């Protein structure tokens, strides 16, 4: 239904750009957001370089139908496969962007895999995952990588529950959205899709 709506807009001469997650249609659809392949590989790099020893990594994502999260996971696995670092990436569990479900899934991972060395929260529900992690005795060698910087993730970085966040620089993102829409409007429907990769803002406890 979304693809049909996009196609109808493009046919009417209205340019369309997707934000954060790429979309597909018969015509050219622009994109403004992170390079999700690189984002996933950057998350994997964090585990590779901060885990004291390789082990099992749990993965939470919002929904398998979100293309950005699927690409994130592919990049994540690609990096660890290339490095042959000895990590075992478990099958991702869906949170449906719900904090309650994320908490439940995190508790499930911790209960079924006591040897879990880290958690990659690739989708929504981070507050629930944080609550589950804080309910357990903290392990200094446990690594958690999540997305976006806001009050809860900032606090998680400061207290050590989260190791790193990969975020959108919001002001840059907003400026690029407006600039891209203006450019697409001025260029007209035959100019082709506009693609803008937004830089990834990396936060740790030392720079929040």
């Amino acid at each position: 239904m979304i693809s049909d709506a996009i196609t109808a807009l493009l046919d009417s001469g209205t340019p369309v750009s997707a934000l954060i997650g790429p979309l597909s249609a018969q015509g050219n659809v622009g994109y403004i957001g992170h390079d999700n392949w690189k984002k996933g590989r950057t998350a994997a790099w964090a585990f590779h370089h901060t885990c004291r020893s390789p082990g099992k990594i749990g993965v939470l994502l919002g929904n398998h139908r979100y293309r950005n999260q699927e690409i994130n996971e592919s990049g994540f696995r690609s990096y660890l496969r290339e490095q042959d670092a000895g990590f075992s990436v478990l099958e991702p569990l869906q949170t449906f962007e719900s904090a309650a479900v994320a908490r439940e899934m995190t508790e499930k991972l911790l209960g079924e895999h006591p040897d879990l060395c880290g958690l990659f929260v690739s989708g929504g529900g981070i507050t629930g995952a944080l609550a589950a992690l804080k309910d357990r005795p903290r392990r200094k060698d446990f690594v958690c990588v999540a997305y976006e910087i806001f009050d809860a993730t900032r606090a998680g970085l400061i207290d050590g529950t989260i190791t790193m966040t990969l975020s959108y620089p919001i002001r840059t993102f907003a400026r690029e959205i407006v600039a891209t829409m203006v450019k697409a409007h001025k260029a007209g429907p035959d100019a082709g899709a506009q693609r803008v990769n937004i830089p990834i803002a990396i936060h740790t406890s030392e720079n929040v």
Side-chain angles (χ1 to χ4, degrees):
M1 291 173 66
I2 293 172
S3 295
D4 285 346
I6 292 171
T7 299
L9 283 169
L10 293 172
D11 288 345
S12 71
T14 303
V16 178
S17 290
L19 307 181
I20 300 178
L23 296 172
S24 61
Q26 293 180 6
N28 290 321
V29 180
Y31 174 70
I32 309 166
H34 286 156
D35 181 325
N36 292 297
W37 179 261
K38 287 184 178 180
K39 194 173 183 180
R41 289 180 64 88
T42 302
W45 179 94
F47 283 93
H48 186 202
H49 288 274
T50 57
C51 284
R52 295 182 183 177
S53 59
K56 296 177 182 176
I57 300 174
V59 179
L60 299 182
L61 53 74
N63 192 303
H64 289 299
R65 298 195 68 176
Y66 294 156
R67 291 181 62 190
N68 59 316
Q69 294 181 17
E70 286 284 282
I71 298 169
N72 290 341
E73 185 200 348
S74 295
F76 187 79
R77 292 180 181 275
S78 168
Y79 175 93
L80 294 176
R81 186 166 54 245
E82 280 182 21
Q83 298 298 321
D84 193 21
F87 290 92
S88 174
V89 183
L90 302 176
E91 282 299 302
L93 301 177
Q94 295 186 88
T95 68
F96 305 102
E97 306 295 316
S98 162
V101 177
R103 179 169 188 161
E104 179 184 347
M105 294 299 100
T106 303
E107 291 171 346
K108 172 182 172 70
L109 284 168
L110 294 170
E112 294 180 356
H113 305 280
D115 55 343
L116 202 71
C117 74
L119 179 67
F120 175 34
V121 185
S122 176
I126 180 60
T127 54
L130 281 172
L133 291 174
K134 289 179 179 180
D135 276 351
R136 300 281 179 125
R138 182 170 302 161
R139 286 168 37 197
K140 291 184 178 179
D141 60 342
F142 191 88
V143 173
C144 177
V145 176
Y147 289 161
E148 302 317 322
I149 188 77
F150 57 100
D151 289 347
T153 54
R154 187 185 301 275
L157 286 168
I158 291 170
D159 68 22
T161 309
I162 300 177
T163 310
M164 177 186 288
T165 62
L166 306 174
S167 311
Y168 274 92
I170 296 300
R171 291 182 182 275
T172 300
F173 191 30
R175 283 195 299 267
E176 290 293 348
I177 291 170
V178 174
T180 302
M181 289 194 297
V182 170
K183 185 177 180 181
H185 177 71
K186 288 181 176 179
D190 297 326
Q194 306 289 328
R195 181 178 179 89
V196 180
N197 285 329
I198 304 296
I200 301 169
I202 296 176
H203 293 93
T204 71
S205 61
E206 301 307 309
N207 69 341
V208 294

